[in-house]
Amino acid sequence: MAPVVERAREVRYATAEELPEAIAGAEVLFAYDFFSTAIPDAWPAADALEWIHVASTGVDAILSPEVRDSDVVLTNSRGVFDASIAEYVLAQVLAFAKDLPQSTRLQQAHRWVHRESERVAGTRALVVGTGQIGRAIARLLRAVGVEVSGSGRRARDDDPDFGTVTAQEDLHHALAAADWVVCIAPLTDATRGMFDAAAFRAMPDHARFINVGRGESVVTDDLVDALRSGTIAGAALDVFDTEPLPQDHPLWDLAGVHITPHSSGDFIGWRDELVRLFADNFARWVDDEPLRHVVDTSLGYVPTDGSTA
């Protein structure tokens, strides 16, 4: 897709260190490294910028106060990772229910140990975050018989994917009825640290926590304490407040913890899909057409029911 862009406009490639010089005079910025904090640092040099596109769904690393308060349009890569993250969540639910990690350990030890497993159908999942990825998760879990509800900004009883959605202020009440708690909430001031000691105490002691949202939504020390004490039964964690997870972190060795390196959405070909989405939006920008996936910077994400979705 790069040649299409290059034929249409001058293209500058820049590392984080080179961005302050490269961004001067630029009208469009494709932020491929969505972890980078280079954009806020380079912002004083952005004298012609009209649009930033981020190669991720989350925009928290990009959305500095300067960006939020500007007239620059911000778009994300919504839709690229929906199905793969939903599949990851289902895989973790099944891995817990069928205790697949223990089966692997027994196989490695050449031990034949008959065991029973849990049924998934009829269990209850609470998906915290009712955006597009949360909806994909809900639909896939429902397909295997899991009863799904949601937690979002606004309570409602007629949601097409979740049925019942609980408002965030009632999160702890909703947690009490969940066998599976899936966090896919965007990182905002309202969601930072939302899973703390009180939230884990609100869950049943057999509940498992799956985080595919943002690591900063969890108070990690409280999660470690909850796992050590048996307050919850397990956790599947793809995101962390510090990445990579330090080698000496206690989460590595806790029973009932599944760790993956922020890869739940990374399917074969995902990089091409990110560039393809940007190229499509760039063609829209060149033709002065409405851009896809415009982020509401006051919220920090693309509204699910908005015209920009």
Side-chain angles (χ1 to χ4, degrees):
M1 290 299 171
V4 174
V5 176
E6 289 172 356
R7 286 197 301 270
R9 290 290 191 277
E10 173 193 353
V11 176
R12 304 169 186 170
Y13 298 93
T15 64
E17 293 75 19
E18 296 165 345
L19 185 59
E21 180 179 355
I23 203 171
E27 299 168 277
V28 177
L29 176 62
F30 180 20
Y32 191 79
D33 181 3
F34 63 91
F35 286 117
S36 175
T37 59
I39 292 176
D41 294 339
W43 193 254
D47 54 0
L49 200 60
E50 299 179 9
W51 165 42
I52 300 172
H53 181 82
V54 185
S56 70
T57 304
V59 297
D60 44 277
I62 307 297
L63 201 54
S64 66
E66 294 81 6
V67 174
R68 190 188 301 270
D69 295 339
S70 74
D71 293 328
V72 175
V73 176
L74 179 63
T75 60
N76 71 0
S77 297
R78 186 181 191 208
V80 172
F81 302 108
D82 297 4
S84 55
I85 292 178
E87 290 166 357
Y88 172 95
V89 170
L90 176 59
Q92 291 291 0
V93 167
L94 292 171
F96 278 123
K98 305 308 175 185
D99 198 10
L100 298 183
Q102 177 64 0
S103 295
T104 300
R105 288 189 289 267
L106 290 169
Q107 177 180 340
Q108 291 170 338
H110 298 189
R111 296 182 59 201
W112 182 279
V113 180
H114 182 269
R115 296 171 296 131
E116 296 177 344
S117 65
E118 304 171 31
R119 289 293 310 275
V120 169
T123 60
R124 296 167 295 183
L126 176 69
V127 179
V128 182
T130 56
Q132 191 162 305
I133 299 176
R135 293 179 180 280
I137 292 169
R139 291 191 294 269
L140 200 53
L141 292 180
R142 284 185 183 277
V144 295
V146 177
E147 300 174 12
V148 183
S149 60
S151 173
R153 287 194 308 132
R154 178 175 57 85
R156 49 198 182 274
D157 294 321
D158 56 353
D159 188 274
D161 295 311
F162 299 101
T164 299
V165 175
T166 304
Q168 186 174 325
E169 57 264 29
D170 296 321
L171 173 63
H172 290 190
H173 177 74
L175 291 173
D179 303 304
W180 315 99
V181 176
V182 182
C183 177
I184 186 57
L187 184 63
T188 66
D189 291 341
T191 62
R192 190 181 300 273
M194 68 191 302
F195 286 99
D196 56 9
F200 293 122
R201 285 196 301 269
M203 300 180 196
D205 59 10
H206 65 269
R208 278 81 164 219
F209 174 64
I210 302 172
N211 191 7
V212 287
R214 282 291 183 261
E216 294 90 338
S217 295
V218 178
V219 180
T220 303
D221 288 346
D222 290 355
L223 173 59
V224 170
D225 290 344
L227 290 162
R228 281 175 168 165
S229 66
T231 301
I232 62 173
L237 308 170
D238 187 56
V239 291
F240 304 87
D241 54 6
T242 300
E243 295 183 6
L245 186 66
Q247 290 188 350
D248 60 351
H249 200 283
L251 282 171
W252 286 110
D253 298 313
L254 284 175
V257 176
H258 305 169
I259 290 175
T260 52
H262 204 141
S263 58
S264 62
D266 295 349
F267 58 94
I268 296 170
W270 64 275
R271 293 175 179 84
D272 291 340
E273 287 299 317
L274 288 174
V275 175
R276 193 171 288 114
L277 189 153
F278 169 70
D280 175 76
N281 242 3
F282 185 80
R284 291 167 179 264
W285 183 79
V286 169
D287 294 336
D288 199 27
E289 295 179 356
L291 297 177
R292 299 172 62 200
H293 313 316
V294 176
V295 174
D296 184 331
T297 56
S298 68
L299 299 174
Y301 52 87
V302 178
T304 297
D305 54 356
S307 59
T308 56

